[in-house]
Amino acid sequence: MKTRITELFGIAHPIIQGGMHFVGLAELAAAVSNAGGLGVITGLTQRTPENLAAEIARCRAMTDKPFGVNLTFLPSVTPPDYPGYVQAIIEGGVKIVETAGNNPQRWMPRLKEAGIKVIHKCTSVRHALKAQSIGCDAISVDGFECGGHPGEDDVPNFILLPRAAEELEVPFVASGGMADGRSLVAALALGAEGMNMGTRFMATREAPIHENVKQALVAASELDTRLVMRPLRNTERVLVNAGVERLLEKERALGPSLKFDDIIAEVAGVYPAIMQRGEMDAGAWSCGMVAGLIHDVPTCQDLIDRIMGEAHEIISRRLSAMLAPA
Ligand SMILES: Cc1cc2nc3c(=O)[nH]c(=O)nc-3n(C[C@H](O)[C@H](O)[C@H](O)COP(=O)(O)O)c2cc1C
């Protein structure tokens, strides 16, 4: 399949693995890239720019295919060493960066000078237009279904993607709720040039996370995610567990007076507890509604081959047959 996204990134299949905290390590990024998609290392999971440089080198040792690095720009009191991370990306020879969170404008000149293609992930058409206007090469349009931060507009992909298609000139991928060949064909039909998956790639053999997390995803249904931190306007879609129920109880009890400090026990330090130690009630970790469509733990190669096989079958048989004269 050839789309503006496969051409832009030099990949065989229009499938991207979105940055995921404590999941997007070299093993997963390399496995996705080796399978013909675009694997992405999550920059901020590496505690220092030196660690990120080492992770990039580790990934390069595992694949000769293109891979990217995610840079998430979050508001914080003591910001991470973003200049250092950008330097590590440039010196590591990485040519694709997925940005998310705040507008990446400040970093665009350095990234562009280094010949890096930037795909910005955002949850609204207005943010996508802004990203296009500052020179981003592509957009990852993240609908309300998505795992992680869906923003505050709550527009699902059946509306958001065709709206993006109406407005954008740069190519975009559909993100949020994508799992299989049906998702890919639907995304293409709505105007996207490929898809980005987060949650689905966690339930793969190569995802370097605890087996409990993979089994929780297989067991979960589409009804098992919750939105947390809405009162703080920092909404996150997470898999429900005892820690999340505790967090939501605090949100209900404190109402508009809720502060970040009130819920810190349920959100700080949760990722290593969940992803490395498999403590499934530790607190809030991002997970999409797409969990309801995850029924197995294949290799990345098998997953991507299956998706592309299904997509071809749907386009060339199921849909074409509907057009055939009686
Ligand atoms: C466990 C997990 C951690 C994530 N961490 C990040 C992150 O650090 N930065 C980021 O930009 N997106 C992050 N995301 C969002 C994904 O990159 C992707 O946009 C999202 O998962 C797409 O929705 P889906 O889960 O329905 O596929 C995370 C998602 C998950 C499931």
Side-chain angles (χ1 to χ4, degrees), residues 3-27:
T3 74
R4 288 163 75 198
I5 287 292
T6 60
E7 297 289 286
L8 180 68
F9 295 136
I11 50 180
H13 308 304
I15 300 174
I16 301 177
Q17 167 248 314
M20 288 181 279
H21 201 35
F22 279 88
V23 183
L25 304 180
E27 287 80 4

Side-chain angles (χ1 to χ4, degrees), residues 18-21 70 72 100 121 142 146-147 175-177 196-199 286 290:
M20 288 181 279
H21 201 35
N70 168 283
T72 304
K121 184 161 56 193
D142 220 16
C146 73
S175 177
N196 177 63
M197 304 195 295
T199 306
S286 297
V290 73

Side-chain angles (χ1 to χ4, degrees), residues 16-265:
I16 301 177
Q17 167 248 314
M20 288 181 279
H21 201 35
F22 279 88
V23 183
L25 304 180
E27 287 80 4
L28 181 60
V32 173
S33 288
N34 282 332
L38 181 69
V40 173
I41 293 172
T42 312
L44 295 190
T45 300
Q46 302 302 322
R47 286 216 334 272
T48 64
E50 293 71 36
N51 290 1
L52 177 58
E55 196 67 7
I56 291 170
R58 226 160 61 76
C59 193
R60 195 163 314 287
M62 288 187 264
T63 184
D64 54 7
K65 300 273 169 46
F67 62 89
V69 172
N70 168 283
L71 273 181
T72 304
F73 300 109
L74 297 171
S76 62
V77 193
T78 40
D81 179 7
Y82 286 117
Y85 285 105
V86 169
Q87 190 68 20
I89 289 168
I90 294 171
E91 284 174 3
V94 172
K95 292 295 176 204
I96 301 165
V97 166
E98 177 199 49
T99 53
N102 291 345
N103 174 329
Q105 186 156 19
R106 199 178 142 199
W107 309 103
M108 289 302 287
R110 278 191 78 198
L111 294 171
K112 293 275 93 186
E113 256 165 46
I116 291 173
K117 303 266 191 307
V118 177
I119 178 165
H120 184 60
K121 184 161 56 193
C122 45
T123 59
S124 72
V125 174
R126 65 186 186 286
H127 291 153
L129 283 170
K130 177 72 193 175
Q132 174 178 274
S133 76
I134 63 169
C136 291
D137 301 276
I139 308 291
S140 200
V141 174
D142 220 16
F144 185 50
E145 307 87 332
C146 73
H149 293 270
E152 309 302 327
D153 290 349
D154 303 356
V155 183
N157 269 334
F158 246 89
I159 308 298
L160 192 58
L161 297 172
R163 277 290 298 124
E166 286 176 4
E167 304 269 350
L168 290 176
E169 277 150 32
V170 294
F172 65 95
V173 296
S175 177
M178 303 289 129
D180 52 32
R182 298 170 300 182
S183 320
L184 178 57
V185 176
L188 298 173
L190 294 172
E193 310 261 345
M195 68 178 180
N196 177 63
M197 304 195 295
T199 306
R200 173 68 265 201
F201 274 123
M202 298 178 78
T204 57
R205 296 258 284 278
E206 296 93 340
I209 56 175
H210 201 282
E211 195 55 32
N212 290 355
V213 184
K214 302 181 189 184
Q215 292 312 319
L217 289 171
V218 171
S221 90
E222 63 278 20
L223 302 177
D224 293 332
T225 70
R226 299 288 181 272
L227 295 174
V228 299
M229 295 191 282
R230 187 123 258 203
L232 302 174
R233 292 189 62 78
N234 183 28
T235 302
E236 183 180 0
R237 187 180 295 285
V238 302
L239 192 69
V240 69
N241 61 41
V244 168
E245 298 282 21
R246 244 183 357 256
L247 192 169
L248 289 170
E249 189 45 48
K250 290 183 192 175
E251 289 189 357
R252 277 190 288 273
L254 294 168
S257 69
L258 181 86
K259 304 268 178 312
F260 185 73
D261 279 351
D262 297 320
I263 55 166
I264 204 149

